[in-house]
Amino acid sequence: MDLFEQLEQVRTEALDNLVTIDSQVDLVTWEKRYFGRKGLVTQQLRSIGSLPQEERKTFGQRLNDIKQELSTAYEAHAQQVKLAEIEAELASGAVDVTLPGRAVAAGHLHLTTQTLRQIYGIFAKMGFEVYEAPDVELEKLNFDMLNIPAYHPARDMWDTFWVDEQRLLRTHTSPGQVRVMRERYPEPIRVILPGKCYRYEQITARSEHQFYQVEGLAVGRNITMTDLIGTLTQFTRMFYGASRTTRVRSSYFPFTEPSIEVDTDCILCGGKGCPVCKYTGWLEIGGAGMTHPVVLQNGGYDPDEWSGFAFGLGVERPAMMKYGVEDIRLFYRNDLRFLRQF
Ligand code: PHE
């Protein structure tokens, strides 16, 4: 029998064998027998060398066709075997439909987003709606309209990323106050303005050059400091726990008069003093005050008729205290080992 006849024989034998196979194991054996390193088809390729030159091409072509034919037949048959096995499994009742399904891997909200939503929820209960103002802000709104003229030393309180001569990345959410007032006049206002702020600062475990704030603004006919302190005390209790107390210190902001700073008794030591509160017993939660008459005016509200309060709360710092996060930089690192803990 010459090499051509042998080749045809391998083909017929392989096809005949294949159709009798009914298990995965036998499929593997079949593949090895014909296509393995020492398989029968593989050997045919080696025998080309012993053919006279003029027959090699024809032989090679036929061999290729056969290889193609066999592997197509193999794929088709393997598919059938697999289906038959699944059917057999189903028929034998081996599928346990009461087993729990495979969980789909799903992400979850970032700790900052979770915290923001908690804050929205608390203020929503007190009648505040969410108002969004842009991150890239006019210098005029970030400073001038908030009673901070160019020469004013208070500008030094905020180191600034400039975009061009007139625009900057807002250093606080307060410019949104003027935007809301101009849009809502002459309605009374009760909004919170959440968003990212940017300051040209050294990055450390306690300060980032980007961070979130939630601004609050209420404008009405008879709004007093009592309303402000009541609102922030209520917020503190709902955010940190019902037993929290707050204290108010006098402070200075150009856009509020009078201005205060609000603290809560340290959630970790309860006021006794610990490293988190730097042994003061108090944690700062934000700046606030009664809307400055000039700012009311810039927003279109007559300060003789209207009054208002404003506050600015941090977001990452309270989350750090509440969840025991020691480094603010973790909020911006996208490290799943951190993110998955919340
Ligand atoms: N904008 C102030 C800051 O970023 C906080 C603040 C907001 C103070 C509103 C008073 C009223 O420091």
Side-chain angles (χ1 to χ4, degrees):
M1 182 163 45
D2 70 6
L3 282 174
F4 282 89
E5 282 164 6
Q6 249 179 47
L7 180 59
E8 295 306 320
Q9 206 176 29
V10 168
R11 171 184 171 272
T12 326
E13 186 206 290
L15 287 171
D16 288 349
N17 276 346
L18 188 61
V19 292
T20 66
I21 290 175
D22 60 3
S23 74
Q24 301 282 351
V25 192
D26 291 343
L27 276 170
V28 174
T29 316
W30 184 93
E31 213 202 353
K32 214 169 150 196
R33 178 174 162 81
Y34 296 99
F35 288 97
R37 217 157 45 81
K38 292 186 182 146
L40 293 171
V41 175
T42 320
Q43 273 173 24
Q44 295 296 315
L45 191 66
R46 297 216 180 93
S47 63
I48 288 188
S50 58
L51 278 171
Q53 193 67 44
E54 65 277 10
E55 287 178 7
R56 286 186 191 170
K57 196 176 166 206
T58 334
F59 186 85
Q61 265 165 7
R62 181 66 189 139
L63 178 58
N64 265 340
D65 289 347
I66 289 174
K67 269 167 87 176
Q68 196 58 53
E69 184 188 3
L70 288 181
S71 54
T72 311
Y74 173 83
E75 289 305 330
H77 194 74
Q79 195 67 31
Q80 272 177 31
V81 170
K82 202 165 154 196
L83 279 176
E85 280 185 351
I86 293 171
E87 262 159 31
E89 208 179 324
L90 281 172
S92 75
V95 174
D96 184 351
V97 292
T98 67
L99 279 177
R102 286 193 194 118
V104 178
H108 70 278
L109 297 177
H110 192 283
L111 179 56
T112 306
T113 312
Q114 292 180 37
T115 309
L116 277 167
R117 292 194 181 180
Q118 278 174 32
I119 298 174
Y120 300 166
I122 293 170
F123 282 108
K125 289 205 175 99
M126 293 191 267
F128 286 79
E129 62 177 301
V130 173
Y131 184 99
E132 291 199 62
D135 288 30
V136 177
E137 186 53 281
L138 294 165
E139 174 189 13
K140 223 171 90 181
L141 282 159
N142 194 84
F143 293 123
D144 303 67
M145 289 294 135
L146 293 173
N147 201 27
I148 319 174
Y151 59 80
H152 200 286
R155 286 218 183 185
D156 300 344
M157 287 164 80
W158 297 278
D159 297 305
T160 312
F161 288 112
W162 291 92
V163 173
D164 59 30
E165 303 265 287
Q166 284 143 38
R167 285 173 303 169
L168 45 85
L169 296 180
R170 63 176 171 196
T171 59
H172 51 178
T173 41
S174 303
Q177 290 187 27
V178 182
R179 288 180 178 272
V180 189
M181 285 192 268
R182 290 188 176 179
E183 195 181 294
R184 294 290 163 88
Y185 180 83
E187 301 286 316
I189 295 171
R190 214 186 295 176
V191 294
I192 50 170
L193 304 110
K196 230 188 208 177
C197 306
Y198 309 82
R199 292 186 195 168
Y200 184 68
E201 277 194 70
Q202 172 111 30
I203 297 168
T204 67
R206 283 189 55 79
S207 46
E208 255 288 355
H209 70 271
Q210 53 179 339
F211 53 90
Y212 279 86
Q213 281 189 342
V214 174
E215 188 87 7
L217 176 70
V219 177
R221 298 273 174 185
N222 289 301
I223 292 189
T224 67
M225 183 69 106
T226 317
D227 299 315
L228 169 58
I229 296 174
T231 304
L232 289 176
T233 305
Q234 182 62 16
F235 165 75
T236 309
R237 288 185 185 148
M238 288 172 86
F239 187 76
Y240 291 111
S243 57
R244 297 264 75 85
T245 47
T246 43
R247 77 168 179 184
V248 163
R249 289 175 288 132
S250 80
S251 184
Y252 172 74
F253 297 101
F255 34 91
T256 45
E257 180 58 37
S259 302
I260 56 171
E261 220 128 328
V262 187
D263 301 335
T264 175
D265 55 330
C266 178
I267 54 165
L268 284 184
C269 64
K272 287 194 215 64
C274 73
V276 170
C277 60
K278 295 192 193 134
Y279 301 98
T280 61
W282 296 96
L283 295 169
E284 196 183 309
I285 64 165
M290 301 308 293
T291 313
H292 196 288
V294 168
V295 178
L296 280 172
Q297 225 153 22
N298 289 338
Y301 287 78
D302 180 353
D304 288 336
E305 271 182 60
W306 300 85
S307 59
F309 68 68
F311 56 83
L313 308 171
V315 176
E316 289 93 345
R317 291 243 179 98
M320 286 168 79
M321 292 183 242
K322 195 165 166 181
Y323 299 102
V325 179
E326 275 161 12
D327 194 325
I328 196 169
R329 292 170 290 196
L330 288 164
F331 286 85
Y332 294 93
R333 250 183 214 164
N334 284 336
D335 187 333
L336 289 175
R337 290 169 303 177
F338 170 72
L339 298 174
R340 285 200 177 114
Q341 293 178 48
F342 305 101

